[in-house]
Amino acid sequence: MLRSSIHRANASGFQPWRSPASFNSIFRFSTASDPFNINSSQPARVPNLIGGEFLESGSKECIDIINPATQEVVSRVPLTTKEEFKAAVESAKKAFPPWRNTPVTTRQRIMFKLQELIRSNMDKLALNITTEQGKTLKDAQGDVFRGLEVVEHACGMASLQMGEYVSNVANGIDTYSIREPLGVCAGICPFNFPAMIPLWMFPVAVTCGNTFVLKPSEKDPGASMILAELSMQAGLPKGVLNIVHGTNDVVNNICDDEDIRAVSFVGSNTAGMHIYSRAAAKGKRVQSNMGAKNHAIVLQDANADSALNALIAAGFGAAGQRCMALSTVVFVGDSKPWEEELIKRAKQLKVNAGIEPDTDLGPVISKQAKDRICRLIQSGIDSGARLVLDGRDVLVPRYEEGNFVGPTILADVTSDMECYNEEIFGPVLLLMKAETLEEAIHIVNRNKYGNGASIFTTSGVSARRFQIEIEAGQVGINVPIPVPLPFFSFTGSKASFAGDLNFYGKAGVQFFTQIKTVTQQWKDDSASQGISLAMPTSQK
């Protein structure tokens, strides 16, 4: 059974954190040297990071971090106290003036060093992610690498943050704009990408000259702690990056604190809209990436083998726990041959602990998540969907207590079903039918979410029509998960995003900076024209 999620401890004081012997010697905050054999009688408590110091929290409440494959308690994360939270914000506030005045080239060099350290410790980060989150080691490496690409992009901040200049806009007057950092910024992270999402946030923010307070997911904070330690090894000054832990109270503190200027969030719609509304009401900038229901339209002329492989990978990869997971397929025309082949290929996928070789799907994050996935599957069946592949009762030898759900396929799904309207966030693929491309596009556009949509076809005419008419922020043409690289931005839309400036790329830099426009005039004292009270214009 799942152990109690919140424990009361006898921790007291506000003191430096000391690493237990069971932790990996290279990283104080990696989960364990052997993540599937926790020998310590008392799992370690994850520290806060405040002012460049890893500090044991004085909180008497903590949450178990549970290995989803084994149900073992890996470590415990404290619910950061209000005093500790304020200390983290004050640390970031104090660090801001000298950091903003640090040359951008110096800030870039720290990112160059950070990307080098992340690369050299990729395997250790991946092992931590697999232990705490459950995804396969290969997928965990991808998690780290996609975040690493954002760090690499931040290495070019001098060009990304460049302003504009126009000489002689009027007689003897020049105007230029510069992008300045905001101050203290904050990030609130989900459980599904323990490395990538924090790396979407703080590297861009701090390289722009801001300081940062990060709240990792309380389910898997280890990767954030390792990344913070690497950041300080790379040369990030004390107080520039701070880490706090917790749930609703810490989130609300982030939204309400008057010293925090901007908030980045990735997660569910319920939490995302709460954060957006509450933080925006306090005058903060907010970017909130939320839920999704990503569709693929498959035309009869599509390359069958490539399309089928893409649907399987995008539908079941990471056990469906991706905001860009491909959860719904709309077949235009006869769907039976596609359905049969999808079932055949999905059955070949290996469900096991993420640490095991050749695993395709690891467990989902928690017992509660598994129960919700199974409930939505049953809801679809009860509403008339046809269950053509059932992964609810999958058994994994040696990991019988794990939160496993095997690949599941529901056919004949309609848009009024709960399983369609809710984000399942599990390895469940929904199959729908349409008679024409026009009807298929209408089905996709009618859905409230707008993260991504894809089409599989060999027709350029059909692909172009899809690109123009589809209402989604990220469009794939024969690409199942169209997540752009960091020199573009992650552009979710509709109910999948709240805010006006997206993550990373140009929009990310704009989010973490504000424009200051300077108009200057240097007159020759001998050319005085006297006083004029008329509206200044560019005319002589």
Side-chain angles (χ1 to χ4, degrees):
M1 293 179 63
L2 186 65
R3 306 182 191 187
S4 175
S5 60
I6 298 183
H7 289 264
R8 292 190 176 274
N10 294 321
S12 61
F14 192 66
Q15 51 191 303
W17 185 85
R18 288 180 171 80
S19 125
S22 63
F23 274 39
N24 187 297
S25 60
I26 295 178
F27 293 113
R28 288 181 285 170
F29 312 116
S30 58
T31 331
S33 55
D34 182 355
F36 282 74
N37 182 22
I38 308 300
N39 296 316
S40 174
S41 59
Q42 286 294 324
R45 281 164 56 95
V46 179
N48 296 312
L49 172 60
I50 301 173
E53 300 291 335
F54 291 99
L55 301 172
E56 173 75 27
S57 174
S59 173
K60 293 183 178 181
E61 289 186 317
C62 58
I63 297 173
D64 287 342
I65 299 168
I66 296 174
N67 185 321
T70 66
Q71 304 308 309
E72 293 187 79
V73 177
V74 174
S75 56
R76 288 181 175 142
V77 62
L79 304 184
T80 297
T81 67
K82 191 168 185 178
E83 293 74 22
E84 291 164 353
F85 170 79
K86 193 59 186 175
V89 175
E90 286 297 324
S91 171
K93 185 178 178 181
K94 181 180 178 182
F96 176 61
W99 180 243
R100 73 170 294 175
N101 291 322
T102 300
V104 66
T105 48
T106 301
R107 301 197 299 260
Q108 286 181 156
R109 290 187 193 106
I110 292 172
M111 290 299 110
F112 274 113
K113 183 61 177 177
L114 177 58
Q115 67 86 24
E116 176 189 339
L117 290 170
I118 292 172
R119 281 181 181 277
S120 61
N121 294 287
M122 181 87 69
D123 290 343
K124 297 178 180 67
L125 278 158
L127 178 61
N128 177 274
I129 292 169
T130 297
T131 303
E132 293 186 355
Q133 198 272 348
K135 63 178 65 176
T136 67
L137 283 171
K138 187 173 183 180
D139 195 35
Q141 289 174 333
D143 184 333
V144 178
F145 192 83
R146 289 305 296 259
L148 172 64
E149 291 174 326
V150 179
V151 179
E152 292 173 336
H153 190 59
C155 291
M157 189 56 68
S159 297
L160 298 171
Q161 204 170 342
M162 197 175 290
E164 298 175 311
Y165 186 99
V166 176
S167 176
N168 217 42
V169 296
N171 190 31
I173 297 176
D174 308 320
T175 300
Y176 60 93
S177 65
I178 53 179
R179 287 202 164 271
E180 296 188 328
L182 303 175
V184 180
C185 302
I188 303 168
C189 302
F191 72 83
N192 56 326
F193 286 100
M196 184 183 78
I197 301 300
L199 291 173
W200 277 14
M201 296 177 179
F202 79 82
V204 176
V206 302
T207 315
C208 285
N210 300 287
T211 55
F212 209 81
V213 177
L214 182 72
K215 193 207 86 67
S217 169
E218 66 278 7
K219 294 181 174 67
D220 45 20
S224 288
M225 303 307 295
I226 295 171
L227 290 168
E229 190 165 24
L230 292 177
S231 297
M232 290 191 294
Q233 288 182 25
L236 205 63
K238 292 181 178 182
V240 173
L241 175 63
N242 303 269
I243 296 182
V244 295
H245 304 286
T247 55
N248 297 349
D249 287 346
V250 171
V251 168
N252 287 336
N253 288 338
I254 288 172
C255 293
D256 295 344
D257 194 285
E258 62 183 15
D259 289 321
I260 293 176
R261 298 288 307 281
V263 179
S264 297
F265 169 80
V266 177
S268 71
N269 276 66
T270 301
M273 288 311 300
H274 169 79
I275 290 164
Y276 178 77
S277 300
R278 186 159 179 157
K282 297 291 184 178
K284 304 183 195 307
R285 286 189 182 181
V286 186
Q287 51 180 192
S288 181
N289 263 13
M290 298 178 288
K293 200 74 175 182
N294 305 306
H295 296 66
I297 294 175
V298 180
L299 302 187
Q300 292 297 312
D301 65 359
N303 181 303
D305 190 59
S306 295
L308 287 162
N309 286 341
L311 296 177
I312 292 292
F316 301 124
Q321 297 176 121
R322 293 171 176 157
C323 62
M324 284 297 288
L326 204 165
S327 59
T328 306
V329 185
V330 184
F331 294 106
V332 177
D334 185 14
S335 63
K336 187 172 180 57
W338 296 98
E339 181 183 306
E340 292 173 349
E341 191 59 33
L342 277 173
I343 296 167
K344 177 181 174 182
R345 297 189 188 204
K347 284 182 175 179
Q348 296 172 0
L349 297 177
K350 182 178 179 181
V351 180
N352 207 338
I355 198 77
E356 298 292 343
D358 303 319
T359 300
D360 295 307
L361 280 78
V364 296
I365 188 67
S366 67
K367 292 291 187 186
Q368 293 89 341
K370 178 179 177 178
D371 290 345
R372 180 180 180 276
I373 292 164
C374 292
R375 180 186 67 77
L376 287 169
I377 293 169
Q378 188 60 47
S379 170
I381 297 168
D382 294 343
S383 299
R386 188 162 44 90
L387 182 66
V388 297
L389 184 62
D390 190 354
R392 290 175 292 177
D393 296 324
V394 63
L395 292 177
V396 179
R398 295 175 49 229
Y399 300 100
E400 289 82 3
E401 296 300 314
N403 311 322
F404 295 100
V405 181
T408 299
I409 301 176
L410 287 170
D412 299 337
V413 172
T414 57
S415 59
D416 59 344
M417 294 180 181
E418 184 185 17
C419 65
Y420 174 76
N421 289 300
E422 292 290 325
E423 183 179 28
I424 298 177
F425 225 58
V428 183
L429 197 59
L430 308 181
L431 308 186
M432 305 178 75
K433 298 177 183 178
E435 293 300 319
T436 64
L437 175 59
E438 180 180 13
E439 181 187 353
I441 291 173
H442 178 68
I443 290 171
V444 179
N445 287 347
R446 197 167 51 197
N447 191 274
K448 67 179 180 179
Y449 294 111
N451 241 7
S454 299
I455 188 170
F456 290 88
T457 181
T458 54
S459 166
V461 173
S462 297
R464 192 169 187 276
R465 179 181 179 185
F466 173 82
Q467 172 196 322
I468 293 169
E469 296 183 10
I470 206 70
E471 295 172 6
Q474 294 161 120
V475 174
I477 297 174
N478 298 316
V479 174
I481 305 178
V483 178
L485 292 174
F487 30 87
F488 292 94
S489 297
F490 189 100
T491 52
S493 62
K494 295 167 67 176
S496 295
F497 181 76
D500 60 350
L501 290 168
N502 297 92
F503 282 82
Y504 62 74
K506 290 180 180 178
V509 174
Q510 291 167 1
F511 179 78
F512 286 116
T513 56
Q514 56 193 350
I515 296 176
K516 179 181 286 183
T517 303
V518 180
T519 301
Q520 63 179 12
Q521 181 181 48
W522 300 102
K523 284 188 174 180
D524 184 345
D525 289 342
S526 63
S528 176
Q529 298 177 353
I531 298 173
S532 173
L533 301 185
M535 171 67 74
T537 71
S538 60
Q539 301 180 66
K540 288 187 179 180

